[in-house]
Amino acid sequence: MTLDVRPANPADTPGGPRHRSRLERLDAALVAIVDYRALVPLRIAVGLLVLMHLRPMLAESAGGVTYRDTFHVPVAPWYPEVPEAVYIAALWLGAGAAVLLAFGLFTRTASIVTAIVVVYNLLLTETHYHHNRAFLAVVLVWLTLMPVGERVSLDARLGRTPRTGAGWGPRWPLLMVRFQVATVYAASGISKLLDPDWIGGVVLQLRVESQLDVALSRGVPAAVVDVAASSSFQWWFAKVVVATEIFIGLGLLWRRTRWAAVWIAIPFHVAIELSAEVELFSYAGLAALVIWVSGRSGDRTLTVSPRWARVVRAFDWTGRFAIDTGSGSSLADRDGSRLEGRDAGWRCATLLPATFWLAAPWQVVRRRRRVDSPEP
Amino acid sequence: MVSSLPSPALRRWRRVVVAAVVGITLAGVVAGYSGSRVLAWQMFPEASRWQADIVRVAEDGSRHSIDGPWPGGYRWHTLVTESGLAAPSIEGNAAYGIDTTLDALQHALTWVAAHTPEDGETAYLEATVWYRHNADPPQTVTLRSPVRGEP
């Protein structure tokens, strides 16, 4: 996986028009045209996650039961409620549109329909509101403004996409979703930082204590449980948790720290999924990490054997490579540099989402070693 | 690649949208400190626990647990399925904080009292709630639905 470490907008480059006013520079940044190929996995994931989100409601609606038949609290008295039959039809319409979104068929329309249904349903009653659902809705809304169905989609297979510039679009929806996603991490961390019970470890300690029996029954050694339940450990661990959330939130916004923030966000979400019930949040959070991938695809040429070419194509979910087959292996990077053999392999591994987490630290170590022992 | 700059009106519109998104996002975060959880993103805010004994208080003053027979055949857990309120007699976490849970429980009592038309016996519902905000000393509070049939 590669992250947006250089400006996608030539107006931001050293040769760019620095003399412009701030508003003009803002306009230029917003309308810069970027490549949305990297967000294709997010489109597919969001389609599937919406199905998971709607599934319990669809199952109940099959028996004629909706939110109206159980306790619910309208978010606002003016919020429109449609007849029950229309509501059930809308849920099924949203599910169908989510399937189309995942497959990339009539993608723009499908994304809009899905977003309308999910957002309407989310705000229908306070009992529907959960942070993970709101997160999914935020990402979904911005997807409606991105050309994420013009590549790796049925629309592309059927020739229903522009002949030129397919998958490229204005940058501002990407900037907005990045801002909102970063806000989620930062706001969560800051709220904990400002809460004496949280930053002091009390909340974590109580949460762990309430799960002690479960942990022991699952075979967690008693010594580990004792340490985890100790107030001194949780006093420190709370600070680690808070610092992690804030670092992810702020680190994602700066190019220099983006790599590290994404790298930390992956185990962060995995840990949350293993330790708490958060419905779709972990999956949505992990999928949304592709919004931080560089806005250019296929600008690295990888030459490998036919067998490795098949492997890389299968795992190149964000479309990082133009792949040639040949003898040996080499990687022509976007900056013009060329890597051969193992170096090319390691670089390739850091650019693939499935191997990024393992390969990125090793890549950093290799670079450090090279810097520490320069060739004569 | 930079697209040709759109018309001034479109540029203004886009600036307004961007400013609104940034403003709403930050306002949601700030509003979270005054109780609203919508777009506040305060994850796992508390480790508070709670448990409630809910009874139906009949017009003659008699009190009946909601786990017992209920005129009309109603069951609490089929009427209240969301917000972690389906099994109030079992001690549980207040996922969004104890204030949110108490507020939701008050709404639930009101809703159930108003949506059990086959029950001709109950005057109102009453919940005796035991709760503990994080590690603070336990507290007890009583919540009641409006008296049924009253406007």
Side-chain angles (χ1 to χ4, degrees):
Chain A
M1 181 153 53
T2 183
L3 303 167
D4 193 0
V5 294
R6 292 186 305 178
N9 179 2
D12 295 338
T13 59
R18 287 185 176 181
H19 60 279
R20 289 177 179 171
S21 73
R22 284 188 177 182
L23 270 181
E24 284 174 324
R25 275 183 288 172
L26 173 66
D27 284 334
L30 295 177
V31 300
I33 301 298
V34 294
D35 183 356
Y36 279 93
R37 167 62 183 84
L39 275 71
V40 166
L42 182 60
R43 183 203 84 214
I44 296 169
V46 165
L48 298 177
L49 290 172
V50 168
L51 281 180
M52 289 171 64
H53 160 56
L54 293 179
R55 191 179 62 173
M57 290 171 244
L58 292 170
E60 287 189 341
S61 73
V65 177
T66 70
Y67 73 97
R68 290 183 176 208
D69 301 306
T70 59
F71 162 58
H72 62 281
V73 186
V75 170
W78 48 264
Y79 196 75
E81 282 191 84
V82 295
E84 195 159 42
V86 176
Y87 173 73
I88 293 173
L91 287 181
W92 286 98
L93 180 67
V99 173
L100 294 181
L101 178 64
F103 282 102
L105 183 60
F106 305 109
T107 312
R108 180 58 62 89
T109 305
S111 65
I112 292 170
V113 171
T114 311
I116 289 172
V117 171
V118 168
V119 172
Y120 174 76
N121 189 51
L122 180 70
L123 298 177
L124 202 47
T125 156
E126 288 184 14
T127 54
H128 281 181
Y129 188 87
H130 294 278
H131 290 321
N132 76 90
R133 298 174 183 180
F135 184 85
L136 180 64
V138 164
V139 173
L140 181 54
V141 165
W142 290 113
L143 276 183
T144 65
L145 296 168
M146 301 173 180
V148 288
E150 296 179 356
R151 276 181 288 177
V152 196
S153 64
L154 288 178
D155 280 336
R157 284 282 178 100
L158 298 173
R160 293 174 27 80
T161 55
R163 289 186 179 176
T164 58
W168 290 68
R171 191 190 198 190
W172 71 273
L174 180 63
L175 293 177
M176 291 295 92
V177 75
R178 283 180 170 183
F179 172 72
Q180 292 205 290
V181 167
T183 299
V184 172
Y185 295 104
S188 179
I190 290 169
S191 71
K192 292 177 175 67
L193 178 67
L194 298 177
D195 183 342
D197 280 349
W198 234 108
I199 196 68
V202 172
V203 170
L204 271 180
Q205 188 183 358
L206 290 171
R207 290 184 71 89
V208 169
E209 283 177 358
S210 70
Q211 299 294 319
L212 285 183
D213 292 341
V214 177
L216 289 169
S217 69
R218 290 184 180 175
V220 178
V224 174
V225 171
D226 286 345
V227 170
S230 71
S231 59
S232 55
F233 174 80
Q234 293 299 345
W235 189 88
W236 285 105
F237 190 54
K239 288 152 184 70
V240 171
V241 171
V242 171
T244 299
E245 286 195 323
I246 294 175
F247 174 74
I248 294 172
L250 300 181
L252 288 171
L253 295 173
W254 278 271
R255 293 190 182 106
R256 280 179 167 275
T257 49
R258 194 166 288 161
W259 256 62
V262 170
W263 193 82
I264 290 173
I266 293 170
F268 173 78
H269 281 293
V270 171
I272 289 177
E273 180 61 23
L274 293 176
S275 62
E277 294 177 7
V278 288
E279 292 187 357
L280 309 167
F281 183 62
S282 304
Y283 305 111
L286 286 170
L289 291 176
V290 297
I291 67 175
W292 306 100
V293 174
S294 162
R296 285 151 293 180
S297 65
D299 58 354
R300 296 178 176 90
T301 302
L302 181 69
T303 304
V304 285
S305 67
R307 186 165 62 97
W308 277 110
R310 282 195 297 275
V311 172
V312 174
R313 281 197 189 98
F315 287 95
D316 187 16
W317 304 330
T318 53
R320 296 298 85 189
F321 299 106
I323 301 173
D324 286 340
T325 54
S327 58
S329 57
S330 64
L331 175 63
D333 218 329
R334 60 162 58 128
D335 60 2
S337 62
R338 189 175 180 83
L339 298 170
E340 305 281 348
R342 281 189 178 181
D343 288 340
W346 277 110
R347 177 76 178 131
C348 176
T350 63
L351 300 169
L352 299 176
T355 50
F356 162 77
W357 197 78
L358 291 173
W362 181 235
Q363 179 82 352
V364 172
V365 171
R366 286 165 64 89
R367 280 188 184 171
R368 284 264 167 100
R369 281 183 184 168
R370 253 181 245 142
V371 171
D372 291 343
S373 54
E375 292 181 8
Chain B
M1 192 188 309
V2 182
S3 65
S4 56
L5 281 178
S7 67
L10 188 57
R11 273 183 287 172
R12 275 196 297 274
W13 174 84
R14 185 172 285 136
R15 286 176 202 155
V16 168
V17 171
V18 168
V21 169
V22 172
I24 289 170
T25 302
L26 297 179
V29 172
V30 173
Y33 294 91
S34 59
S36 169
R37 62 186 172 129
V38 177
L39 298 180
W41 311 116
Q42 295 186 8
M43 316 285 195
F44 310 113
E46 295 175 13
S48 301
R49 309 280 294 175
W50 72 283
Q51 178 265 324
D53 294 319
I54 304 179
V55 296
R56 297 182 297 105
V57 181
E59 292 186 5
D60 63 3
S62 59
R63 301 164 72 85
H64 310 273
S65 168
I66 55 166
D67 295 327
W70 194 329
Y74 298 110
R75 307 292 298 271
W76 176 268
H77 70 268
T78 60
L79 295 166
V80 181
T81 59
E82 297 273 358
S83 303
L85 303 176
S89 61
I90 300 172
E91 184 183 322
N93 280 316
Y96 283 89
I98 193 62
D99 289 343
T100 303
T101 295
L102 292 176
D103 185 55
L105 183 58
Q106 177 63 69
H107 280 296
L109 294 171
T110 302
W111 189 90
V112 170
H115 291 82
T116 45
E118 303 298 318
D119 176 6
E121 178 186 88
T122 303
Y124 60 90
L125 294 160
E126 183 177 288
T128 304
V129 188
W130 168 92
Y131 69 91
R132 192 193 63 215
H133 173 261
N134 292 337
D136 295 346
Q139 298 199 45
T140 302
V141 65
T142 300
L143 305 176
R144 288 192 187 94
S145 74
V147 176
R148 298 175 73 219
E150 285 190 356

